[in-house]
Amino acid sequence: MTDAARKGDIDDATEPDPAEAAGRLLERLSAAVAPLEAVAAARDLARVADQAMRAAVAGARTAGHTWQEIGDVLGSSRQAAFQRFGRPLDPRTGAPMTDTILPGATNRTTALVGPGRRLRPDAL
């Protein structure tokens, strides 16, 4: 097995044209002689397909389609579609929320949750 097959074909995985990259990866998959070469090609094809899916979902959302519609097309619930592809929005501003933990959040949470992991109503 070649180093490129072990590490993944970076060029194909980051190809700007997913259809072209998928075509090359399908050729590589069908031409693979060794089973591990086929696994590597399939892995890279899955990466390109995931990138294409994310771009398509972003395009659908930009066009105004709902998570319910996207979930229906994907054969999943709207919640599952959102968990996989969405980002929560701040209800006050409409801006995407970040994964950054706010300063003091850990201490405040510790103050709210008492012994035995029960919520202390007096701390609210």
Side-chain angles (χ1 to χ4, degrees):
M1 180 180 234
T2 65
D3 285 339
R6 264 189 226 99
K7 293 179 185 172
D9 193 334
I10 303 301
D11 293 335
D12 286 339
T14 58
E15 180 73 38
D17 180 11
E20 191 175 312
R24 271 201 311 280
L25 289 168
L26 282 171
E27 287 174 13
R28 202 172 106 205
L29 180 60
S30 63
V33 177
L36 288 179
E37 288 177 1
V39 170
R43 175 205 57 215
D44 292 343
L45 182 59
R47 285 181 186 158
V48 170
D50 186 61
Q51 289 172 351
M53 179 73 77
R54 289 184 183 286
V57 168
R61 289 291 295 155
T62 300
H65 293 284
T66 66
W67 287 113
Q68 181 66 54
E69 291 172 312
I70 293 168
D72 289 346
V73 170
L74 295 175
S76 68
S77 67
R78 64 183 171 85
Q79 293 92 340
F82 177 78
Q83 284 177 346
R84 181 171 176 193
F85 301 106
R87 291 190 61 194
L89 299 178
D90 186 329
R92 297 166 296 168
T93 64
M97 296 174 72
T98 65
D99 294 328
T100 306
I101 297 174
L102 298 174
T106 303
N107 294 336
R108 187 173 173 105
T109 302
T110 303
L112 289 172
V113 180
R117 302 178 85 154
R118 292 182 161 194
L119 189 62
R120 293 190 345 233
D122 61 323
L124 296 174

